[in-house]
Amino acid sequence: MIPVIIGATFILFVLVFALPGEPWQGRCGERECPTAYVEAFKREYNLDKPLLVQYALYLGKLVQGDLGVNFYNNHVIDELAVRYPTTVKLALIAILVEVVIGIAAGLMAGINKGRFLDSLVVVSTLVVVSIPVFVIGSVAQWSVLKLDLNDIFPVTATQGTLKQLILPGFVLGSLSVAYVARLTRTNLVENLRADYVRTARAKGLTTGRVIGIHTLRNSLIPVITFIGYDFGSLMGGAIVTERIFNINGIGGFIFRSINQRDGVSVVGAVTVLVLIYLLANLVVDVLYGVLDPRISRD
Amino acid sequence: MTDPIHSGPETMMGAVANDIAGEAVERQEEAAAEASAVLDKPHSLGSDAWWQMRRRPMFWFSAGLIALFILMAVWPSLFTNGDPRYCDLTQARHKPSWEHWFGTDIQGCDVYARTIHGARSSILVGVFCTAGVTVIGSIVGLLAGYFGRWLDVVLSRVGEIFFAIPTLLGGIVILYSFPSRPGTPYAIVVGKVVIAITLLQWPTIARIMRASVLQVMPHEYVTAARGLGARPGRIIVSHILPNAVAGVIAVATINLGVYIALEATLSFLGIGLQPPAISWGIAISEASKMGFLTSAPHMLLFPSLFLSLTVLAFIMLGEVVRDALDPRLR
């Protein structure tokens, strides 16, 4: 995993700084960069040195949390530090939605495999997966305004209070809810065929106990790891959700920086999100071995 | 003639088999029996899969939708005479009417014409990304799986690194580093999005292809071909590829829909396709600005509907293809 993290940051670095073309292009708004800026840029990122040296110096800065200084002469890391609580809150709400709705839907579908409820869950998850998040978000906003529910589910969340983040949390979690439901269903159906379930039934346990204690617990291991991986990707998905609901988190910051063509902020913030995603994966990989001892860490 | 000694165990086994595997297998067996009745000659996996798909309404529904959207992309004038770039500011934000079926947008452009013409960008990006990802991913997967050893180690590690970067985030970085301006030609604007997605997505297909190759490799016909002195190129192209390609086809179809959604998302964020290119993502981005949501919801709803239906159609088709190609998954 560590080599992957190093490799991924190397690729991002090459894409941004080392490919032919001018990396400072687009960093000065809609005009050509002045020579003085280009010189300063080259010096800052050591572009006159060999590629690997450039990368090593860049990585050194990254480790120290130095993501550069943006248009407004603010350190990008400080901008992110102010905003990350909102994004984490949003991601946690989304995960809560995933866990509660996703597992419940998957459970109902799995128990009633082949019946109406199952088909309903399978078809509706397919539909949810097909609708891009920004469509779900915009349509949700429109429906809330149409139904005059704005006081209960505010459609903008500029302050990022818990109440304001509920609707965005649902939107952000919507795609993963579908995946969690399908994953729960598949694993439940598979495990219900296992020998230990038959043994439990033969011992005369109630259906509730067989499913709730024996089957569900085993079926949820892959679901938990999925949710762990998802925490990282939710940080990325937050860019879209925070733009729609005008939330001042990391995602909203990236979106505004894209529109203001503030390159240092975009690249710095996205790099941090990629690192969070990779670290979340690392944690999940370790946890997976703990949750399911059959999987050895090799 | 019924012979109790011979027919007995068979029915017994049939009953047991049905009990174990349940109705899915039963249905499958029925279908297989019907299939062999229809096709007397021995049939290939391809024709078998085609026969399986043909029976499902979901296949016809998704294939019909896809045909419609492709027609829209190739020949938009078949659906509309309106010029998507003709805008009349005095007609801004009109509700749907006879004259403008889907209403007009902020600039007074006809939403119907723009929605129809928007199909082209989505289909182009989807098709080219799928082609690029499938070709690169398959080649890498075949090489890694067939030659193994250090080549496998190198290719798999490189793939892992690209796989680790979330496509949306990586896409933002790439497209930000190579920005398009309003004057950039359409082909280059689309090309950048295609390259960004392809670069970050090829490992998905490479992994699947590598796994299938490793499954196919131990078969006798591969050993036989090698024993007869066939060169690696020949073994890969005529023995391994045809038997390993099934999984890739299904995933590639599903992913075509995913790439379309990804392009729309990037365009929505203002970093994918750029105006004056016409795209559903850009249209939805315009329409979702707070002030227009209530005053002109048609601006949002029609492009959203078209986009979602396109993505849905490809994902559905992919699922049907996967079920048909791999009966074990049912």
Side-chain angles (χ1 to χ4, degrees):
Chain A
M1 201 62 206
I2 303 290
V4 172
I5 293 179
I6 294 175
T9 51
F10 182 66
I11 289 174
L12 289 180
F13 175 78
V14 170
L15 285 173
V16 177
F17 298 105
L19 281 187
E22 296 165 332
W24 51 86
Q25 198 186 16
R27 282 163 185 261
C28 307
E30 295 292 331
R31 60 197 167 85
E32 290 298 310
C33 287
T35 335
Y37 179 82
V38 172
E39 289 305 318
F41 187 91
K42 277 186 178 168
R43 226 174 311 116
E44 194 186 339
Y45 290 97
N46 307 298
L47 294 187
D48 41 0
K49 303 213 172 72
L51 180 66
L52 283 177
V53 177
Q54 283 177 35
Y55 171 66
L57 291 170
Y58 163 82
L59 200 63
K61 276 188 181 176
L62 198 65
V63 171
Q64 291 167 26
D66 180 4
L67 298 169
V69 176
N70 71 358
F71 273 2
Y72 305 100
N73 216 16
N74 295 331
H75 285 276
V76 175
I77 194 76
D78 298 335
E79 300 263 359
L80 296 182
V82 179
R83 290 174 172 87
Y84 89 92
T86 314
T87 303
V88 169
K89 238 192 281 175
L90 183 65
L92 288 178
I93 294 175
I95 285 178
L96 194 70
V97 171
E98 271 173 41
V99 170
V100 175
I101 301 182
I103 294 181
L107 186 64
M108 283 193 306
I111 296 172
N112 300 304
K113 187 179 183 295
R115 282 187 237 147
F116 171 73
L117 209 57
D118 181 33
S119 316
L120 185 73
V121 169
V122 170
V123 171
S124 53
T125 50
L126 181 65
V127 171
V128 169
V129 167
S130 307
I131 306 177
V133 174
F134 62 96
V135 172
I136 296 183
S138 306
V139 171
Q141 271 184 331
W142 174 68
S143 330
V144 164
L145 291 174
K146 196 88 190 158
L147 298 172
D148 230 2
L149 293 173
N150 198 16
D151 298 330
I152 308 165
F153 302 112
V155 292
T156 51
T158 25
Q159 287 94 37
T161 58
L162 207 59
K163 184 185 171 189
Q164 288 177 331
L165 289 176
I166 288 176
L167 187 65
F170 266 87
V171 170
L172 180 58
S174 59
L175 180 67
S176 306
V177 163
Y179 284 127
V180 168
R182 286 199 156 196
L183 206 56
T184 311
R185 174 184 173 273
T186 316
N187 283 304
L188 195 65
V189 167
E190 228 165 68
N191 279 329
L192 279 173
R193 281 200 217 120
D195 289 340
Y196 68 86
V197 173
R198 199 185 307 152
T199 311
R201 284 224 169 95
K203 273 164 51 184
L205 298 185
T206 58
T207 312
R209 220 180 140 72
V210 169
I211 291 172
I213 307 289
H214 291 256
T215 323
L216 192 60
R217 207 191 263 178
N218 279 310
S219 309
L220 286 185
I221 293 174
V223 177
I224 291 169
T225 53
F226 170 81
I227 291 170
Y229 286 128
D230 206 40
F231 182 75
S233 43
L234 284 180
M235 304 294 264
I239 300 176
V240 177
T241 317
E242 292 187 6
R243 174 242 185 268
I244 297 172
F245 292 97
N246 204 9
I247 300 169
N248 195 15
I250 293 183
F253 175 67
I254 292 178
F255 172 72
R256 272 191 303 282
S257 303
I258 290 174
N259 274 14
Q260 293 161 351
R261 306 218 57 82
D262 180 357
V264 182
S265 301
V266 174
V267 174
V270 170
T271 308
V272 168
L273 288 189
V274 172
L275 286 179
I276 293 174
Y277 173 79
L278 293 174
L279 288 176
N281 284 7
L282 183 66
V283 171
V284 170
D285 280 348
V286 173
L287 274 184
Y288 203 15
V290 178
L291 282 174
D292 192 347
R294 285 172 301 179
I295 293 150
S296 63
R297 270 171 286 153
D298 49 8
Chain B
M1 286 275 280
T2 42
D3 183 347
I5 301 165
H6 284 97
S7 68
E10 265 176 39
T11 36
M12 275 272 287
M13 267 167 58
V16 171
N18 279 344
D19 272 349
I20 292 171
E23 48 173 342
V25 172
E26 203 175 309
R27 232 187 297 140
Q28 208 175 307
E29 277 172 358
E30 258 171 49
E34 272 180 67
S36 54
V38 174
L39 304 161
D40 280 333
K41 55 180 192 297
H43 43 273
S44 64
L45 177 68
S47 66
D48 197 37
W50 166 234
W51 196 88
Q52 288 279 351
M53 288 194 297
R54 238 173 16 183
R55 297 166 52 244
R56 299 185 60 180
M58 218 164 107
F59 169 73
W60 292 109
F61 177 69
S62 54
L65 271 179
I66 290 171
L68 191 69
F69 286 120
I70 289 179
L71 200 61
M72 227 178 259
V74 176
W75 206 352
S77 55
L78 211 62
F79 296 85
T80 169
N81 295 321
D83 180 356
R85 297 187 197 284
Y86 173 78
C87 308
D88 184 354
L89 267 177
T90 57
Q91 302 260 325
R93 280 194 270 162
H94 280 202
K95 292 244 172 324
S97 63
W98 258 117
E99 207 184 335
H100 302 289
W101 289 358
F102 292 179
T104 56
D105 68 7
I106 321 160
Q107 317 266 0
C109 314
D110 184 39
V111 174
Y112 177 68
R114 288 186 81 84
T115 307
I116 296 287
H117 282 264
R120 180 170 292 170
S121 306
S122 294
I123 299 284
L124 274 181
V125 170
V127 168
F128 280 120
C129 286
T130 307
V133 167
T134 311
V135 169
I136 297 175
S138 299
I139 291 175
V140 171
L142 280 168
L143 293 178
Y146 186 82
F147 292 105
R149 302 188 198 200
W150 63 268
L151 192 65
D152 183 23
V153 174
V154 171
L155 291 176
S156 295
R157 289 296 95 74
V158 172
E160 250 169 49
I161 291 169
F162 278 95
F163 192 72
I165 303 174
T167 309
L168 185 61
L169 296 178
I172 289 176
V173 170
I174 296 175
L175 292 170
Y176 195 87
S177 305
F178 300 93
S180 300
R181 288 166 197 286
T184 317
Y186 180 68
I188 294 179
V189 176
V190 172
K192 280 179 187 168
V193 177
V194 170
I195 290 172
I197 294 177
T198 307
L199 195 63
L200 294 163
Q201 280 284 325
W202 64 266
T204 31
I205 295 292
R207 281 182 168 195
I208 296 166
M209 186 51 115
R210 178 178 171 276
S212 325
V213 170
L214 290 180
Q215 252 175 20
V216 172
M217 287 271 282
H219 283 282
E220 279 90 353
Y221 54 81
V222 178
T223 321
R226 200 176 285 155
L228 287 169
R231 280 170 295 110
R234 192 186 159 79
I235 298 177
I236 289 177
V237 172
S238 50
H239 296 289
I240 292 181
L241 186 61
N243 291 297
V245 83
V248 170
I249 293 177
V251 175
T253 317
I254 293 179
N255 280 356
L256 209 159
V258 174
Y259 302 150
I260 290 177
L262 209 54
E263 175 273 311
T265 308
L266 288 166
S267 303
F268 177 79
L269 291 174
I271 202 165
L273 302 180
Q274 307 280 337
I278 299 172
S279 135
W280 293 331
I282 298 173
I284 296 168
S285 177
E286 278 290 303
S288 66
K289 285 176 186 150
M290 215 34 98
F292 309 133
L293 261 183
T294 37
S295 67
H298 55 268
M299 273 169 57
L300 170 71
L301 296 182
F302 290 109
S304 300
L305 183 71
F306 275 57
L307 173 64
S308 306
L309 277 179
T310 312
V311 179
L312 178 70
F314 280 107
I315 292 182
M316 263 167 59
L317 183 69
E319 293 208 339
V320 174
V321 169
R322 186 190 56 196
D323 289 353
L325 286 174
D326 193 350
R328 279 168 305 172
L329 287 173
R330 249 173 277 167

